[in-house]
Amino acid sequence: TPHSCKTVPGPGMGDFSYVGIDAILEQMRRKAMKQGFELNIMVVGQSGLGKSTLMNTLFKSKVSRKSVQATSQEKIPKTIHIKSVSHDIEEKGVRMKLTVIDTPGFGDQINNENCWQPIMKFINAQYEQYLQEEININRKKRIPDSRVHCCIYFIPPTGHCLRPLDVEFMRRLSKVVNIVPVIAKADTLTLEERDFFKQKIREELRANGIDVYPQKEFDEDAEDRMINDKIREMIPFAVVGSDQEYQVNGRRLLGRKTKWGTIEVENIAHCEFAYLRDLLIRTHMENIKDITSSIHYEVYRVRRLNENNTAVAHANGLPQHHMTSHEM
């Protein structure tokens, strides 16, 4: 009968029982370092909420569309223009290709009905591009990944409740992409207003069945659930961005200078920027990419391949009920 083979070092055996399975970690690290990493972040929100500044603050470099172009004051576009800017960032030998996708024109019109549509179309177009590469007979060893891994949605700091535009956008888009909502320019609210607003937003997300990242159903185990529950209690993150450096008590830090003192961006007593950065970069980046690939893209892929199968069945004159077993 088969039995599990477990080597346990006996007395005086020294390294005799060592197989070396732990070296897999080093192999994976070397491979990952060679390949580098990719991250595609989309920022959505009306103009003037500090989207560009927040992106520059997150990556401590000029990565936003505005910083790259450095043009004179842009006119508000009549419709949504989606613009991507890619950068190669390196830190301690780790290379990352970061793409920031900006959506100027979102929510800036008098009538903002259906303004989520171009964004939905863009996200699906990236899935389609990936799918076409994947189903090629001679496919690339490594398919370039332009899929949107995360969408940071900027909520204006009104202190009251979500606007119908916010609810509609997040309700529709949370089904196709990981959404992380943030309260923009949170230093315009008092701490009491901020807490009330955050609670109100969480209630509205629940009431409208909006599942933002990290989604409950994708927690893998109890430890995951515990970590993610803490994040869910904090969402939406009340953030302040700044690419200005100041000296405070002999320390250099990013902040915003006011008449009453300096708001320190990375100080959790002042705002929740540090929690957002940790989530996106230090703790959950791989998980955000995994969910994009194994959940959102997978749903798109199944739907598209079923459409193709149905079309082929019709072309061959087969009755449609042959195809329904795999349909969603």
Side-chain angles (χ1 to χ4, degrees):
T1 56
H3 61 281
S4 64
C5 173
K6 206 170 183 183
T7 50
V8 181
M13 280 173 71
D15 274 341
F16 175 68
S17 65
Y18 175 69
V19 176
I21 297 166
D22 57 348
I24 294 170
L25 289 172
E26 181 53 27
Q27 291 170 43
M28 287 169 77
R29 195 191 73 84
R30 275 213 310 274
K31 188 180 176 186
M33 291 285 276
K34 261 187 204 160
Q35 286 182 341
F37 299 89
E38 289 172 301
L39 181 66
N40 307 321
I41 293 187
M42 177 182 260
V43 286
V44 179
Q46 64 196 66
S47 49
L49 289 179
K51 301 189 295 293
S52 302
T53 306
L54 188 78
M55 285 287 100
N56 292 344
T57 316
L58 269 173
F59 294 97
K60 299 207 169 158
S61 48
K62 304 275 185 209
V63 294
S64 77
R65 170 184 60 93
K66 287 240 169 82
S67 336
V68 174
Q69 288 183 342
T71 55
S72 58
Q73 195 57 48
E74 293 176 4
K75 291 193 190 90
I76 292 173
K78 291 211 166 31
T79 55
I80 294 175
H81 291 217
I82 295 176
K83 299 184 178 180
S84 301
V85 182
S86 291
H87 306 266
D88 289 309
I89 299 177
E90 190 166 327
E91 188 177 63
K92 293 186 180 172
V94 178
R95 286 175 301 112
M96 185 167 82
K97 185 189 175 200
L98 170 72
T99 303
V100 178
I101 303 138
D102 199 354
T103 52
F106 176 85
D108 289 335
Q109 311 308 318
I110 291 166
N111 177 7
N112 289 304
E113 204 180 354
N114 297 342
C115 67
W116 47 269
Q117 277 177 342
I119 294 171
M120 178 82 94
K121 203 170 159 191
F122 178 86
I123 290 169
N124 283 333
Q126 308 317 306
Y127 290 151
E128 182 62 31
Q129 202 176 314
Y130 196 89
L131 178 66
Q132 290 309 322
E133 287 283 359
E134 206 178 46
I135 59 180
N136 266 343
I137 292 172
N138 300 318
R139 60 182 177 182
K140 293 172 183 155
K141 192 176 169 192
R142 198 160 176 235
I143 298 170
D145 191 1
S146 65
R147 296 171 297 183
V148 180
H149 298 128
C150 176
C151 169
I152 303 178
Y153 187 75
F154 286 69
I155 299 164
T158 61
H160 298 299
C161 56
L162 290 176
R163 304 165 302 167
L165 169 67
D166 304 324
V167 172
E168 186 72 354
F169 179 88
M170 287 194 275
R171 193 171 62 77
R172 289 175 183 273
L173 271 289
S174 61
K175 293 178 174 63
V176 298
V177 70
N178 294 315
I179 289 188
V180 176
V182 299
I183 297 168
K185 298 195 166 179
D187 51 331
T188 60
L189 299 169
T190 67
L191 295 179
E192 289 82 3
E193 286 169 339
R194 189 193 291 184
D195 287 344
F196 171 78
F197 194 29
K198 280 164 70 85
Q199 198 178 331
K200 190 97 176 111
I201 290 169
R202 280 196 295 273
E203 282 167 16
E204 289 193 59
L205 292 175
R206 263 196 305 274
N208 288 286
I210 297 166
D211 217 2
V212 296
Y213 183 83
Q215 301 91 329
K216 262 201 176 96
E217 68 261 41
F218 308 138
D219 292 347
E220 282 175 22
D221 51 38
E223 189 192 359
D224 261 14
R225 194 168 306 117
M226 208 171 67
I227 294 166
N228 290 345
D229 276 344
K230 280 185 184 155
I231 296 163
R232 285 188 273 263
E233 281 163 25
M234 246 184 269
I235 274 175
F237 297 108
V239 296
V240 177
S242 170
D243 26 29
Q244 295 293 310
E245 271 191 9
Y246 295 102
Q247 289 274 349
V248 177
N249 303 332
R251 289 178 303 130
R252 276 172 62 217
L253 46 85
L254 291 170
R256 286 171 56 80
K257 218 181 185 81
T258 71
K259 235 157 128 176
W260 304 276
T262 305
I263 293 153
E264 299 169 25
V265 167
E266 299 193 34
N267 183 338
I268 52 173
H270 293 197
C271 83
E272 293 169 338
F273 168 80
Y275 293 124
L276 173 70
R277 183 213 43 217
D278 288 358
L279 178 80
L280 292 178
I281 301 168
R282 298 185 182 182
T283 61
H284 284 63
M285 187 194 286
E286 275 306 302
N287 185 250
I288 285 170
K289 289 171 69 175
D290 283 350
I291 287 177
T292 301
S293 187
S294 60
I295 309 290
H296 296 306
Y297 170 66
E298 201 60 25
V299 166
Y300 180 85
R301 183 178 160 279
V302 168
R303 182 164 58 77
R304 281 286 288 114
L305 295 180
N306 274 328
E307 281 170 13
N308 289 354
N309 289 346
T310 309
V312 169
H314 282 319
N316 294 338
L318 292 175
Q320 197 171 353
H321 66 259
H322 279 269
M323 307 314 303
T324 53
S325 59
H326 296 297
E327 295 203 338
M328 294 172 62

